[in-house]
Amino acid sequence: MKISVLTLFPKIIESYLNESIMKKATEKTQLEFEIVDIRLYSPYRHNQVDEYQFGGGKGMVLMPEPIILALESIKTDKSIVCMTTPQGKVWTQTKAKIFANKYEHIILLCGHYEGFDERIRKYVDVELSIGDFVLTGGELASLVIVDSIVRLLPGVIAVDSHMQESFENNLLDYPVYTKPIDFRGDLVPEVLLSGHHANILKFREEQALINTIKKRPDLINEVTLTESQLKLLKQIKK
Ligand code: ADE
């Protein structure tokens, strides 16, 4: 997989992708990152990339030429072009899984200032938002998206970690414990020390459900719950 990020602030992107798991991912797998500085594609004097908007209004708008020229220099038939904006479809774990499995080349276009000239949207396949709030630019949004895709690529992190993580089966993760067994009188649940795998599994399943009901009841979809989870849900609701 190749992931290209088009940005006015390449250093922000570089600093994250050159650290820790993101960097290791490029060493351990076929993943390749490409960072494209939009400013270098400006046909204007002083590498200008933004202008006042026609019709009046506050703030600068990103002009089409630098962005489209940068995009055309890297796009192939295998690319999906994504633009990060607060107007996009909200990014979720389900979308991260689809992107990780489906696309060979993901291009992320980061916005800034008051937004993109509307005509840029014609060159974009999908607009993505990371939530209903407004950031000063699309770099953090792109990094959130990249991180959530890359950690799902085979060989980046252990497969079991994915099976127990939040949002698998629409449930939050179960609580986990480590040493010491007694922390200021707060004890690790006994079942986890029992070595009884079936009971541990049952306990974790229950805890994931309880956690989700308490913290994110909006995630509970009764249609996708198993028989035993539905039974437990009824007991908890009583
Ligand atoms: N750019 C500014 N705010 C954003 C958001 N919430 N999601 C994606 N891109 C953005």
Side-chain angles (χ1 to χ4, degrees), residues 13-232:
I13 305 291
E14 249 167 56
S15 72
Y16 190 75
L17 298 186
N18 276 329
E19 291 289 336
S20 182
I21 294 180
M22 295 300 112
K23 185 169 171 66
K24 283 202 193 110
T26 61
E27 293 161 358
K28 285 204 275 188
T29 73
Q30 303 278 309
L31 175 69
E32 188 192 333
F33 291 128
E34 176 180 47
I35 303 170
V36 180
D37 184 347
I38 296 170
R39 215 172 271 285
L40 300 179
Y41 290 83
S42 171
Y44 299 106
R45 272 204 320 153
H46 307 303
N47 292 342
Q48 185 187 354
V49 289
D50 56 326
E51 249 307 348
Y52 293 105
Q53 48 186 298
F54 287 123
K58 266 201 223 144
M60 307 293 273
V61 174
L62 290 170
M63 294 189 288
E65 292 99 327
I67 290 179
I68 303 308
L69 289 172
L71 190 58
E72 286 172 347
S73 76
I74 58 159
K75 188 176 154 44
T76 71
D77 311 341
K78 297 202 168 113
S79 314
I80 176 162
V81 181
C82 314
M83 175 159 108
T84 52
T85 89
Q87 299 178 21
K89 294 223 164 67
V90 177
W91 187 248
T92 59
Q93 186 67 14
T94 306
K95 286 201 179 69
K97 278 185 203 159
I98 294 171
F99 273 62
N101 286 313
K102 196 166 162 187
Y103 298 113
E104 277 182 43
H105 184 204
I106 299 168
I107 300 178
L108 288 156
L109 177 53
C110 309
H112 253 272
Y113 313 116
E114 278 309 295
F116 296 94
D117 181 290
E118 190 61 25
R119 292 165 291 181
I120 293 168
R121 291 198 155 80
K122 287 198 186 128
Y123 297 80
V124 167
D125 298 311
V126 59
E127 284 184 49
L128 299 171
S129 162
I130 58 159
D132 292 339
F133 44 81
V134 182
L135 302 165
T136 54
E139 280 71 21
L140 281 177
S142 287
L143 287 174
V144 166
I145 291 168
V146 172
D147 187 296
S148 61
I149 295 170
V150 168
R151 63 187 292 287
L152 294 176
L153 298 176
V156 175
I157 55 175
V159 176
D160 326 356
S161 313
H162 294 309
M163 313 227 295
Q164 65 166 59
E165 73 195 7
S166 289
F167 305 112
E168 269 307 308
N169 313 316
N170 253 359
L171 295 182
L172 298 183
D173 200 359
Y174 50 76
V176 293
Y177 299 84
T178 184
K179 287 178 181 172
I181 290 173
D182 182 343
F183 175 66
R184 298 181 181 178
D186 200 353
L187 300 178
V188 172
E190 230 176 278
V191 59
L192 297 178
L193 311 172
S194 68
H196 192 301
H197 292 296
N199 284 354
I200 292 174
L201 210 71
K202 187 163 169 276
F203 171 78
R204 288 181 165 164
E205 198 184 25
E206 286 172 7
Q207 291 300 312
L209 192 58
I210 290 168
N211 228 358
T212 314
I213 292 167
K214 273 198 211 149
K215 296 179 184 171
R216 290 290 306 275
D218 55 300
L219 288 178
I220 298 281
N221 176 356
E222 296 193 17
V223 182
T224 59
L225 292 180
T226 62
E227 280 290 307
S228 64
Q229 287 171 331
L230 273 172
K231 225 166 107 184
L232 183 65

